[in-house]
Amino acid sequence: MSVFTVERIRAEVADLLGEDPEEIPVDENLVDWGLDSIRLMTLAERWRAEGAEVAFVQLAERPAVEAWAELLGAS
């Protein structure tokens, strides 16, 4: 079972952006919400440290919570 959930991904993105997790949409481009490459690298490194096999470029290609949940095998 994956340690990643849609709720967790939203919460981590919200924390980096200074937003409420409920405000972060699951199907929108997070770059439009202010997610820049530095923050994206932070997430990729954090998740790789927890064993996720995900690269910065994979996250950057599809910057949406639902796409990342699929990549991370979120439950």
Side-chain angles (χ1 to χ4, degrees), residues 6-75:
V6 169
E7 293 78 20
R8 176 185 170 182
I9 296 166
R10 284 175 82 187
E12 291 191 34
V13 169
D15 183 56
L16 288 175
L17 297 177
E19 298 283 344
D20 184 315
E22 297 300 316
E23 299 295 318
I24 302 298
V26 296
D27 60 348
E28 290 184 23
N29 185 327
L30 295 170
V31 173
D32 295 340
W33 281 76
L35 191 70
D36 58 23
S37 60
I38 300 298
R39 291 181 177 110
L40 197 53
M41 279 189 262
T42 300
L43 287 172
E45 289 172 15
R46 181 183 302 164
W47 294 340
R48 277 196 308 267
E50 292 186 41
E53 293 184 19
V54 64
F56 167 81
V57 71
Q58 291 175 297
L59 298 179
E61 286 175 343
R62 297 176 56 207
V65 171
E66 65 185 5
W68 294 352
E70 185 180 312
L71 280 172
L72 294 167
S75 53

